[in-house]
Amino acid sequence: MRVLIAGGGTGGHLFPGIALAEEVATRHPKNDVVFVGTNRGLEARVVPASGFRFEAIPSRGLKGMGAVKLVLGLLTLPLSFLAAVGILRRYRPDVVVGVGGYSSGPVVMAAWLMRLPTAIQEQNSLPGLTNRILGKVVQSIFLTFEESKAFFAAAKCHVIGNPIRRKLMENFLNSKTAHERFSLLVFGGSLGAKGLNARVLEAFGHLGELKDTLHVVHQTGKNDVEAARARYAELGVSADVREFIDDMSEAYARADLVVCGAAAT
């Protein structure tokens, strides 16, 4: 069986797709998974590093964009659709699954028009624009939350929860990694969260001598990484500040406490 997974952009969309791909690949040695996204999204780097094939289409976002980017996005739609058709013809998947993000739209819509079996996976309690549109044409909709049924045809919906990557599940079976200092993990999602970054750094200014007992691993996103490193150095806090944490399983395993954004899940 060959499964084509479309979408990404952020970790919230992409990593449940990676979890699905891992499960498909381990069910049978002849099973195969292909991802489709954009070269600008997180998927362009994470998918090949996870051992899966990746194809890119020239898709752009439409929601929440300024006038110029909206026009560019609309003009790119036909190119994205044609690229999606070419990929579908080349790989001939048995099923196409959209995991959200603007790049999933052209691919799942093209698959539907080509009479291929289609589905979407919705991680959030409040579905995004792309999945709300695709929900009208796909055959099956896999949800994390019961409340999300209100946005789709009930007969298509299956509430299964949010897929979790294999390495994260293994953390529950293994003993905790030993370390000398109390370890704090801070992250606000794959792209970072400016508000969370600012509040955490502000809080460290009030910890006094307690800060000397801590080690911080902080995923800031690319916009705040240098400022956060400078602030931790100024405060004298032991900190490993990263734009993005590639191995979140290891980060969880080493953490005594996690401060994170709840996000839409």
Side-chain angles (χ1 to χ4, degrees):
M1 180 177 72
R2 173 170 285 165
V3 178
L4 189 145
I5 298 174
T10 67
H13 292 310
L14 176 61
F15 289 122
I18 296 285
L20 171 62
E22 290 175 344
E23 188 64 25
V24 169
T26 56
R27 288 295 180 98
H28 195 279
K30 290 188 177 181
N31 282 354
D32 185 28
V33 181
V34 180
F35 279 81
V36 179
T38 72
N39 282 323
R40 296 186 307 280
L42 189 66
E43 60 271 19
R45 181 173 63 84
V46 172
V47 169
S50 300
F52 298 104
R53 277 183 288 181
F54 173 74
E55 296 283 346
I57 60 172
S59 185
R60 289 177 175 270
L62 299 176
K63 186 179 179 182
M65 300 293 171
V68 174
K69 288 186 177 180
L70 176 61
V71 171
L72 285 173
L74 290 171
L75 291 174
T76 305
L77 273 177
L79 296 176
S80 302
F81 183 81
L82 289 174
V85 169
I87 291 169
L88 291 168
R89 284 178 174 169
R90 187 159 73 252
Y91 286 102
R92 302 179 64 83
D94 296 291
V95 61
V96 175
V97 181
V99 292
Y102 54 83
S103 60
S104 68
V107 181
V108 177
M109 194 62 73
W112 173 69
L113 290 171
M114 294 170 69
R115 300 289 194 271
L116 295 171
T118 55
I120 57 173
Q121 196 267 325
E122 177 55 60
Q123 309 87 18
N124 305 318
S125 56
L126 185 65
L129 175 63
T130 301
N131 270 358
R132 290 194 204 191
I133 294 171
L134 294 177
K136 298 180 185 301
V137 300
V138 298
Q139 293 163 287
S140 296
I141 302 168
F142 298 98
L143 304 174
T144 297
F145 297 107
E146 190 77 29
E147 302 93 307
S148 305
K149 280 185 175 180
F151 299 91
F152 303 108
K156 295 182 179 182
C157 293
H158 308 273
V159 180
I160 62 168
N162 205 32
I164 299 175
R165 283 168 288 161
R166 193 169 294 274
K167 286 187 70 176
L168 293 177
M169 291 298 295
E170 289 172 355
N171 278 343
F172 293 103
L173 304 176
N174 298 327
S175 58
K176 188 171 172 55
T177 303
H179 46 265
E180 294 180 3
R181 294 191 179 196
F182 188 92
S183 182
L184 176 66
L185 173 61
V186 181
F187 66 96
S190 58
L191 302 181
K194 196 169 189 65
L196 178 64
N197 293 342
R199 297 291 78 76
V200 167
L201 290 168
E202 179 184 326
F204 271 104
H206 300 281
L207 286 183
E209 293 181 359
L210 278 175
K211 70 178 186 291
D212 298 328
T213 68
L214 301 174
H215 176 70
V216 185
V217 176
H218 190 158
Q219 176 180 290
T220 62
K222 66 178 180 180
N223 293 328
D224 292 338
V225 63
E226 295 303 330
R229 283 173 180 162
R231 181 58 175 158
Y232 278 119
E234 179 186 341
L235 292 168
V237 175
S238 172
D240 177 5
V241 182
R242 310 183 206 175
E243 177 182 325
F244 180 77
I245 297 173
D246 289 291
D247 191 347
M248 187 58 78
S249 177
E250 181 193 27
Y252 277 132
R254 291 182 175 276
D256 293 300
L257 177 68
V258 178
V259 178
C260 65
T265 309

